[in-house]
Amino acid sequence: QIQLVESGGGSVQAGGSLNLSCAASREPYSGYCMGWFRQAPGKEREGVAAIDRDGTTTYIEFVKGRFTISPDNNKKILSLLMNNLTPEDAAMYYCRYAPCTYKAGQDVPHFYGGFWGQGTQVTVSS
């Protein structure tokens, strides 16, 4: 079992920055990937950024160049630095530790099973 607790959300104006953090109760299991997901009202939850078991980072196209995902040395803290935020980035953000696999046509690998945090809210005003 891995407990995940997100923090760092808040309200910012467009163009602003936030640094989300996810604290894990233990290191991820062998072969696990780590990722950040988000869900806006009325939309499906989507993967935003991920680190696979080899340490490769991936991002959805909309956030490339603006978001940076990074773990600490023992992978018990997962950060998501978000710069130049737009109203379209507003959502509940969740971290997830789980196995993942790449699928054709997807920027971010598909996660399955694993563990979720409770989320942290990001609001961006124009």
Side-chain angles (χ1 to χ4, degrees):
Q1 187 81 358
I2 303 177
Q3 283 79 43
L4 301 172
V5 179
E6 302 94 335
S7 62
S11 296
V12 296
Q13 291 189 328
S17 298
L18 285 173
N19 192 13
L20 305 184
S21 184
C22 172
S25 60
R26 55 155 289 158
E27 295 179 9
Y29 296 114
S30 177
Y32 266 36
C33 306
M34 300 173 289
W36 283 96
F37 292 69
R38 68 186 181 188
Q39 187 168 20
K43 295 187 177 181
E44 292 187 356
R45 192 172 298 189
E46 64 173 349
V48 175
I51 300 175
D52 69 17
R53 55 186 176 272
D54 298 322
T56 300
T57 58
T58 54
Y59 302 88
I60 56 172
E61 189 65 32
F62 187 69
V63 308
K64 284 180 181 178
R66 300 188 297 120
F67 289 14
T68 303
I69 186 172
S70 60
D72 71 343
N73 288 338
N74 60 14
K75 299 183 181 179
K76 291 182 65 176
I77 301 290
L78 182 67
S79 298
L80 184 68
L81 176 62
M82 307 186 295
N83 293 320
N84 195 20
L85 285 160
T86 76
E88 289 73 29
D89 294 313
M92 184 71 81
Y93 281 71
Y94 302 88
C95 70
R96 187 176 184 184
Y97 283 24
C100 72
T101 185
Y102 287 95
K103 293 188 174 183
Q106 291 185 345
D107 292 330
V108 176
H110 173 76
F111 284 57
Y112 50 98
F115 306 93
W116 289 93
Q118 294 298 308
T120 185
Q121 183 70 46
V122 171
T123 304
V124 185
S125 58
S126 57

